[in-house]
Amino acid sequence: MIGSLTVLGLGPGAPEWITPAAQAALDAASDLVGYGPYLDRVPERQGRTKHASDNRVEVERAAQALRLAAEGRRVAVVSGGDPGVFAMAAAVFEALEAGPAAWRALPITVEPGITAMLAAAARAGAPLGGDFCAISLSDNLKPWEVVTARLAAALAADFVICLYNPISKARPWQLGEALALAAGRRAADTPVLFARAVGRPDESLRILTLAEARAAAGTADMATLVMIGASGTRLIAREGGAPYVYTPRSVAKRPCATSQGRT
Ligand code: SAH
């Protein structure tokens, strides 16, 4: 019997942010493979086996999932957010590329999920209304010089910049350095969001200026998505609540001014 493999995203945390298609893939699975804390979010069910693994072993975990599928199991590989955004879908294809040719005959599907930056943006208003980009600050898989080169290019192009994996115990200084780089290209009052654990009970959303964000860099953690506004990103004050953060859809035809001149 031929098995199957689906890579799916559970969304940022809230159960109502799991898509019906991802839920159907979970319901159909005989085996769930993923990082322990994500699997904990899926209820136990008879006839469904959970294979929890550690955080840093993505390709091994992906190869295990492919092996199980090749043995005829219906496997769901579980990620947080969207499985294609800094997550397991790419690890599955890395393992597929390097693995036995027979694995390529397996039906592999990817079910999208709501990624952290979209959930964070929705909470804040509409900060991604113009052009934006996403950068992982983790230098586990790429040199830090690549991260800073991409950041510098994104800053020069005046994108809204979403920073995933901003900080961890093993990487305590990268966010501070990234925000210092941003301060060289953007005004000190540029809105910066620290969106933490969006969709979970301990969710928090902080709307800071770039200057405040630099001072607060150490208060972010691995559950935080940091969003640096573009030159057009602004706040709309409101009574009795945090301001809305939004980026207008339109940009002047001419290249826009930034704190450091013109881009
Ligand atoms: N596949 C995930 C991202 C994995 S990288 C997705 O699409 O969202 C892990 C990083 O995602 C974290 O360090 C954090 O920056 C961000 N993240 C994941 N879930 C989050 C949440 N609920 N709230 C805020 N940021 C989150």
Side-chain angles (χ1 to χ4, degrees):
M1 187 183 68
I2 187 154
S4 63
L5 191 152
T6 302
V7 198
L8 60 89
L10 295 175
E16 63 271 24
W17 279 350
I18 300 178
T19 68
Q23 187 61 54
L26 280 175
D27 293 342
S30 61
D31 294 78
L32 303 182
V33 174
Y35 175 43
Y38 295 140
L39 290 190
D40 291 345
R41 280 162 58 185
V42 183
E44 299 290 341
R45 210 195 56 197
Q46 253 206 332
R48 188 166 69 184
T49 311
K50 289 184 179 179
H51 307 265
S53 54
D54 210 344
N55 198 7
R56 289 273 202 104
V57 294
E58 284 100 348
V59 177
E60 273 168 52
R61 187 193 301 155
Q64 177 195 23
L66 285 159
R67 265 195 308 277
L68 286 165
E71 286 164 12
R73 316 287 299 172
R74 283 186 316 282
V75 182
V77 177
V78 177
S79 279
D82 178 273
V85 178
F86 308 126
M88 282 305 294
V92 164
F93 291 112
E94 283 169 38
L96 183 71
E97 197 175 37
W103 285 356
R104 299 185 186 201
L106 291 167
I108 299 176
T109 45
V110 181
E111 283 298 345
I114 298 175
T115 188
M117 69 177 174
L118 300 186
R123 287 291 198 247
L128 303 181
D131 294 334
F132 62 89
C133 69
I135 298 177
S136 169
L137 282 196
S138 169
D139 54 358
N140 291 336
L141 298 171
K142 63 191 172 196
W144 180 244
E145 297 70 53
V146 170
V147 178
T148 52
R150 288 181 180 172
L151 259 174
L155 286 162
D158 200 23
F159 285 115
V160 171
I161 302 173
C162 301
L163 300 177
Y164 284 75
N165 297 310
I167 199 165
S168 74
K169 288 200 184 77
R171 297 182 292 99
W173 51 266
Q174 280 85 342
L175 178 60
E177 194 171 313
L179 293 171
L181 258 176
R185 294 294 305 214
R186 300 222 170 144
D189 63 351
T190 301
V192 174
L193 293 178
F194 280 17
R196 185 180 182 282
V198 180
R200 303 183 202 150
D202 50 341
E203 167 174 334
S204 75
L205 182 73
R206 280 185 288 164
I207 302 165
L208 307 170
T209 64
L210 178 51
E212 288 165 349
R214 287 186 69 184
T219 65
D221 64 9
M222 273 305 276
T224 308
L225 186 285
V226 175
M227 202 182 292
I228 305 171
S231 61
T233 306
R234 62 191 76 164
L235 306 183
I236 300 177
R238 60 171 157 159
E239 299 244 333
Y244 296 110
V245 184
Y246 96 109
T247 308
R249 292 166 300 154
S250 54
V251 174
K253 276 214 184 76
R254 298 182 139 273
C256 48
T258 70
S259 62
Q260 293 290 296
R262 299 202 160 260
T263 57

